[in-house]
Short mmCIF file of all heavy atoms in Angstrom, two decimals:
data_model
loop_
_atom_site.label_atom_id
_atom_site.label_comp_id
_atom_site.label_asym_id
_atom_site.label_seq_id
_atom_site.Cartn_x
_atom_site.Cartn_y
_atom_site.Cartn_z
N VAL A 227 80.60 74.29 112.26
CA VAL A 227 81.71 75.16 111.88
C VAL A 227 82.59 74.39 110.89
O VAL A 227 83.06 73.29 111.18
CB VAL A 227 82.57 75.55 113.10
CG1 VAL A 227 83.74 76.43 112.67
CG2 VAL A 227 81.74 76.26 114.15
N VAL A 228 82.75 74.97 109.70
CA VAL A 228 83.66 74.38 108.70
C VAL A 228 85.04 74.95 109.01
O VAL A 228 85.28 76.15 108.83
CB VAL A 228 83.22 74.74 107.26
CG1 VAL A 228 84.14 74.07 106.25
CG2 VAL A 228 81.77 74.35 107.02
N LEU A 229 85.92 74.11 109.53
CA LEU A 229 87.22 74.58 110.02
C LEU A 229 88.27 74.36 108.93
O LEU A 229 88.65 73.23 108.66
CB LEU A 229 87.58 73.79 111.28
CG LEU A 229 88.86 74.19 112.01
CD1 LEU A 229 88.75 75.60 112.55
CD2 LEU A 229 89.10 73.23 113.16
N VAL A 230 88.68 75.46 108.29
CA VAL A 230 89.60 75.33 107.15
C VAL A 230 91.01 75.68 107.58
O VAL A 230 91.25 76.74 108.18
CB VAL A 230 89.16 76.27 105.99
CG1 VAL A 230 90.09 76.10 104.79
CG2 VAL A 230 87.72 76.01 105.60
N THR A 231 91.95 74.80 107.26
CA THR A 231 93.34 75.07 107.56
C THR A 231 94.19 74.51 106.43
O THR A 231 93.66 74.07 105.41
CB THR A 231 93.72 74.44 108.92
OG1 THR A 231 95.02 74.92 109.30
CG2 THR A 231 93.75 72.93 108.86
N ASP A 232 95.53 74.55 106.59
CA ASP A 232 96.38 73.83 105.63
C ASP A 232 97.40 73.02 106.39
O ASP A 232 97.48 73.09 107.63
CB ASP A 232 97.00 74.77 104.58
CG ASP A 232 98.04 75.72 105.13
OD1 ASP A 232 98.50 75.53 106.27
OD2 ASP A 232 98.40 76.67 104.41
N THR A 233 98.19 72.25 105.65
CA THR A 233 99.09 71.31 106.31
C THR A 233 100.14 72.03 107.16
O THR A 233 100.71 71.43 108.06
CB THR A 233 99.79 70.42 105.25
OG1 THR A 233 100.20 71.27 104.16
CG2 THR A 233 98.85 69.36 104.70
N ALA A 235 99.47 74.84 109.10
CA ALA A 235 98.89 75.43 110.31
C ALA A 235 98.03 74.43 111.09
O ALA A 235 97.54 74.74 112.17
CB ALA A 235 98.05 76.65 109.93
N ASP A 236 97.85 73.24 110.52
CA ASP A 236 96.97 72.25 111.15
C ASP A 236 97.45 71.90 112.56
O ASP A 236 96.70 71.98 113.53
CB ASP A 236 96.93 71.01 110.25
CG ASP A 236 95.89 70.01 110.73
OD1 ASP A 236 94.93 70.46 111.37
OD2 ASP A 236 96.04 68.81 110.46
N ALA A 240 95.07 74.43 114.25
CA ALA A 240 93.70 74.05 113.86
C ALA A 240 93.21 72.89 114.73
O ALA A 240 92.04 72.82 115.10
CB ALA A 240 93.67 73.68 112.38
N MET A 243 92.05 74.24 117.87
CA MET A 243 90.80 74.98 117.64
C MET A 243 89.64 73.99 117.56
O MET A 243 88.55 74.24 118.09
CB MET A 243 90.92 75.79 116.34
CG MET A 243 89.73 76.66 116.02
SD MET A 243 89.27 77.75 117.36
CE MET A 243 90.79 78.66 117.55
N LEU A 247 86.32 74.03 119.87
CA LEU A 247 84.97 74.16 119.32
C LEU A 247 84.11 72.95 119.70
O LEU A 247 82.93 73.09 120.04
CB LEU A 247 85.03 74.31 117.80
CG LEU A 247 85.64 75.63 117.30
CD1 LEU A 247 85.91 75.56 115.79
CD2 LEU A 247 84.73 76.80 117.62
N VAL A 254 82.14 70.14 114.18
CA VAL A 254 83.22 70.68 113.36
C VAL A 254 83.36 69.86 112.07
O VAL A 254 83.37 68.63 112.10
CB VAL A 254 84.56 70.69 114.14
CG1 VAL A 254 85.70 71.15 113.25
CG2 VAL A 254 84.43 71.57 115.37
N VAL A 255 83.43 70.57 110.95
CA VAL A 255 83.67 69.93 109.65
C VAL A 255 85.10 70.31 109.27
O VAL A 255 85.35 71.42 108.80
CB VAL A 255 82.67 70.45 108.59
CG1 VAL A 255 82.88 69.74 107.25
CG2 VAL A 255 81.24 70.34 109.07
N PRO A 256 86.07 69.42 109.50
CA PRO A 256 87.47 69.81 109.26
C PRO A 256 87.85 69.71 107.79
O PRO A 256 87.48 68.76 107.11
CB PRO A 256 88.26 68.80 110.10
CG PRO A 256 87.38 67.61 110.22
CD PRO A 256 85.96 68.06 110.03
N VAL A 257 88.58 70.71 107.31
CA VAL A 257 89.10 70.68 105.93
C VAL A 257 90.57 71.08 106.01
O VAL A 257 90.88 72.20 106.43
CB VAL A 257 88.37 71.70 105.02
CG1 VAL A 257 88.88 71.59 103.58
CG2 VAL A 257 86.86 71.52 105.07
N CYS A 258 91.45 70.18 105.61
CA CYS A 258 92.88 70.51 105.64
C CYS A 258 93.41 70.53 104.20
O CYS A 258 93.45 69.51 103.52
CB CYS A 258 93.65 69.50 106.48
SG CYS A 258 95.38 69.94 106.63
N LEU A 259 93.76 71.73 103.74
CA LEU A 259 94.23 71.90 102.36
C LEU A 259 95.75 71.70 102.30
O LEU A 259 96.43 71.81 103.33
CB LEU A 259 93.90 73.33 101.89
CG LEU A 259 92.43 73.77 102.06
CD1 LEU A 259 92.28 75.26 101.76
CD2 LEU A 259 91.52 72.96 101.13
N SER A 270 91.20 73.48 95.57
CA SER A 270 91.11 73.62 97.04
C SER A 270 89.74 74.15 97.45
O SER A 270 89.17 73.74 98.45
CB SER A 270 92.20 74.58 97.54
OG SER A 270 93.47 74.05 97.28
N ILE A 271 89.22 75.08 96.64
CA ILE A 271 87.88 75.62 96.95
C ILE A 271 86.85 74.48 96.89
O ILE A 271 85.97 74.36 97.74
CB ILE A 271 87.50 76.74 95.95
CG1 ILE A 271 88.44 77.94 96.10
CG2 ILE A 271 86.04 77.16 96.11
CD1 ILE A 271 88.37 78.66 97.43
N GLN A 273 87.38 71.43 97.50
CA GLN A 273 87.54 70.60 98.70
C GLN A 273 86.70 71.18 99.85
O GLN A 273 86.06 70.44 100.58
CB GLN A 273 89.03 70.60 99.06
CG GLN A 273 89.47 69.38 99.86
CD GLN A 273 90.96 69.46 100.22
OE1 GLN A 273 91.78 69.94 99.43
NE2 GLN A 273 91.31 69.00 101.40
N ILE A 274 86.71 72.51 99.98
CA ILE A 274 85.91 73.14 101.06
C ILE A 274 84.42 72.99 100.76
O ILE A 274 83.63 72.58 101.62
CB ILE A 274 86.27 74.64 101.23
CG1 ILE A 274 87.78 74.83 101.40
CG2 ILE A 274 85.51 75.24 102.40
CD1 ILE A 274 88.24 76.29 101.40
N TRP A 275 84.04 73.33 99.51
CA TRP A 275 82.61 73.21 99.14
C TRP A 275 82.10 71.80 99.41
O TRP A 275 81.04 71.60 100.00
CB TRP A 275 82.43 73.51 97.63
CG TRP A 275 82.50 74.95 97.25
CD1 TRP A 275 82.35 76.04 98.04
CD2 TRP A 275 82.75 75.45 95.92
NE1 TRP A 275 82.49 77.20 97.29
CE2 TRP A 275 82.73 76.87 96.00
CE3 TRP A 275 82.98 74.86 94.68
CZ2 TRP A 275 82.92 77.68 94.87
CZ3 TRP A 275 83.17 75.67 93.57
CH2 TRP A 275 83.15 77.07 93.67
N ALA A 277 83.19 69.37 101.36
CA ALA A 277 83.09 69.00 102.78
C ALA A 277 81.86 69.67 103.41
O ALA A 277 81.11 69.05 104.15
CB ALA A 277 84.36 69.41 103.52
N ALA A 278 81.66 70.95 103.06
CA ALA A 278 80.54 71.70 103.66
C ALA A 278 79.20 71.11 103.20
O ALA A 278 78.29 70.91 104.01
CB ALA A 278 80.64 73.17 103.26
N LEU A 288 79.11 78.44 109.95
CA LEU A 288 80.18 79.44 109.82
C LEU A 288 81.45 78.74 109.33
O LEU A 288 81.72 77.59 109.68
CB LEU A 288 80.40 80.06 111.19
CG LEU A 288 81.46 81.15 111.31
CD1 LEU A 288 80.87 82.35 112.05
CD2 LEU A 288 82.67 80.67 112.09
N VAL A 289 82.18 79.44 108.48
CA VAL A 289 83.49 78.95 108.06
C VAL A 289 84.53 79.63 108.93
O VAL A 289 84.48 80.84 109.13
CB VAL A 289 83.78 79.29 106.57
CG1 VAL A 289 85.22 78.94 106.20
CG2 VAL A 289 82.81 78.55 105.66
N MET A 290 85.44 78.84 109.46
CA MET A 290 86.50 79.45 110.30
C MET A 290 87.84 79.11 109.66
O MET A 290 88.14 77.95 109.40
CB MET A 290 86.38 78.83 111.69
CG MET A 290 87.49 79.19 112.59
SD MET A 290 86.90 80.29 113.87
CE MET A 290 88.45 80.72 114.60
N ALA A 291 88.62 80.15 109.38
CA ALA A 291 89.93 79.96 108.76
C ALA A 291 91.00 79.98 109.85
O ALA A 291 91.06 80.91 110.64
CB ALA A 291 90.20 81.08 107.76
N VAL A 292 91.84 78.95 109.87
CA VAL A 292 92.99 78.93 110.79
C VAL A 292 94.22 78.73 109.92
O VAL A 292 94.45 77.63 109.41
CB VAL A 292 92.86 77.79 111.83
CG1 VAL A 292 94.10 77.76 112.73
CG2 VAL A 292 91.60 77.97 112.66
N GLY A 293 94.98 79.76 109.71
CA GLY A 293 96.16 79.63 108.86
C GLY A 293 96.64 80.97 108.34
O GLY A 293 96.22 82.03 108.83
N GLY A 294 97.48 80.93 107.33
CA GLY A 294 98.02 82.15 106.75
C GLY A 294 97.08 82.76 105.73
O GLY A 294 95.89 82.41 105.66
N VAL A 296 96.90 82.42 102.55
CA VAL A 296 96.37 81.52 101.52
C VAL A 296 95.09 80.86 102.03
O VAL A 296 94.04 80.87 101.37
CB VAL A 296 97.45 80.48 101.10
CG1 VAL A 296 96.84 79.39 100.26
CG2 VAL A 296 98.59 81.17 100.35
N VAL A 297 95.16 80.31 103.24
CA VAL A 297 93.97 79.69 103.84
C VAL A 297 92.87 80.74 104.02
O VAL A 297 91.70 80.50 103.69
CB VAL A 297 94.33 79.06 105.22
CG1 VAL A 297 93.08 78.76 106.03
CG2 VAL A 297 95.15 77.80 105.02
N GLY A 298 93.25 81.90 104.54
CA GLY A 298 92.25 82.95 104.82
C GLY A 298 91.53 83.38 103.56
O GLY A 298 90.30 83.48 103.54
N ASP A 299 92.30 83.61 102.48
CA ASP A 299 91.67 84.06 101.23
C ASP A 299 90.73 83.00 100.66
O ASP A 299 89.66 83.32 100.13
CB ASP A 299 92.75 84.38 100.18
CG ASP A 299 93.37 85.76 100.38
OD1 ASP A 299 93.11 86.38 101.42
OD2 ASP A 299 94.12 86.21 99.49
N MET A 300 91.15 81.73 100.78
CA MET A 300 90.31 80.68 100.19
C MET A 300 89.10 80.36 101.06
O MET A 300 87.99 80.16 100.55
CB MET A 300 91.15 79.43 99.94
CG MET A 300 92.10 79.63 98.78
SD MET A 300 92.64 78.09 98.07
CE MET A 300 93.71 77.49 99.34
N ALA A 301 89.31 80.31 102.38
CA ALA A 301 88.18 80.05 103.28
C ALA A 301 87.13 81.16 103.11
O ALA A 301 85.93 80.90 103.09
CB ALA A 301 88.66 79.99 104.72
N ALA A 302 87.62 82.40 102.95
CA ALA A 302 86.70 83.53 102.80
C ALA A 302 85.96 83.45 101.46
O ALA A 302 84.76 83.72 101.39
CB ALA A 302 87.48 84.84 102.91
N ALA A 304 85.30 80.71 99.84
CA ALA A 304 84.31 79.63 99.98
C ALA A 304 83.12 80.11 100.81
O ALA A 304 81.96 79.89 100.43
CB ALA A 304 84.97 78.41 100.64
N ALA A 305 83.39 80.80 101.92
CA ALA A 305 82.29 81.29 102.78
C ALA A 305 81.36 82.21 101.99
O ALA A 305 80.15 82.20 102.18
CB ALA A 305 82.85 82.01 103.99
N ILE A 308 79.27 79.61 99.56
CA ILE A 308 78.45 78.49 100.07
C ILE A 308 77.05 79.03 100.44
O ILE A 308 76.94 79.99 101.22
CB ILE A 308 79.12 77.84 101.32
CG1 ILE A 308 80.43 77.15 100.92
CG2 ILE A 308 78.18 76.85 101.98
CD1 ILE A 308 81.30 76.73 102.09
N LEU A 314 81.80 84.00 108.53
CA LEU A 314 83.23 83.74 108.39
C LEU A 314 83.97 84.27 109.61
O LEU A 314 83.79 85.42 110.01
CB LEU A 314 83.75 84.46 107.13
CG LEU A 314 85.26 84.53 106.94
CD1 LEU A 314 85.83 83.15 106.60
CD2 LEU A 314 85.62 85.52 105.83
N GLY A 315 84.81 83.41 110.19
CA GLY A 315 85.68 83.86 111.28
C GLY A 315 87.12 83.64 110.84
O GLY A 315 87.41 82.69 110.13
N GLN A 316 88.01 84.54 111.24
CA GLN A 316 89.41 84.41 110.83
C GLN A 316 90.30 84.31 112.06
O GLN A 316 90.24 85.17 112.95
CB GLN A 316 89.85 85.66 110.03
CG GLN A 316 89.17 85.82 108.69
CD GLN A 316 90.01 85.24 107.54
OE1 GLN A 316 90.96 84.48 107.75
NE2 GLN A 316 89.67 85.58 106.32
N LEU A 317 91.15 83.27 112.09
CA LEU A 317 92.22 83.20 113.08
C LEU A 317 93.52 83.12 112.28
O LEU A 317 94.00 82.04 111.96
CB LEU A 317 92.08 81.97 113.98
CG LEU A 317 93.16 81.91 115.06
CD1 LEU A 317 92.72 82.64 116.33
CD2 LEU A 317 93.55 80.50 115.41
N THR A 319 97.32 82.96 111.34
CA THR A 319 98.44 82.40 112.10
C THR A 319 99.80 82.76 111.50
O THR A 319 100.82 82.19 111.89
CB THR A 319 98.34 80.87 112.21
OG1 THR A 319 98.35 80.32 110.88
CG2 THR A 319 97.08 80.43 112.93
#
Side-chain angles (χ1 to χ4, degrees):
V227 179
V228 183
L229 184 64
V230 182
T231 190
D232 69 13
T233 44
D236 188 26
M243 183 53 59
L247 292 169
V254 176
V255 182
V257 183
C258 184
L259 307 171
S270 296
I271 295 296
Q273 205 181 323
I274 307 173
W275 284 341
L288 181 131
V289 172
M290 172 110 188
V292 178
V296 168
V297 164
D299 279 10
M300 288 201 288
I308 293 169
L314 169 71
Q316 293 265 14
L317 182 89
T319 60

